[in-house]
Amino acid sequence: MQTKSPVPSTDEKMKSVKAAWDKAPAGPKKDAALKHYQAAEKAQAANHDGECNRKLDAAKHALA
């Protein structure tokens, strides 16, 4: 039986940040978050999970 890790996977984090971005009102915070999210997508495609997670954290921070 597998237990779920308390740390979300990169895929789960991508979905979470994308959902938060989708709900955010238009403006400079959303624009900044999009740039970080797009960088995270590139990092994920290159299998750089650490960089992807850093960019996702930056996107979440930009939306806060």
Side-chain angles (χ1 to χ4, degrees), residues 1-44:
M1 184 164 141
Q2 270 187 336
T3 58
K4 188 163 173 122
S5 171
V7 177
S9 72
T10 303
D11 286 337
E12 290 170 338
K13 202 169 181 181
M14 289 285 289
K15 290 175 188 173
S16 172
V17 171
K18 177 70 167 86
W21 183 85
D22 286 340
K23 293 177 185 175
K29 288 183 176 186
K30 188 169 185 173
D31 295 342
L34 177 60
K35 290 178 184 176
H36 292 299
Y37 183 81
Q38 289 171 332
E41 287 178 318
K42 288 180 184 177
Q44 185 183 37

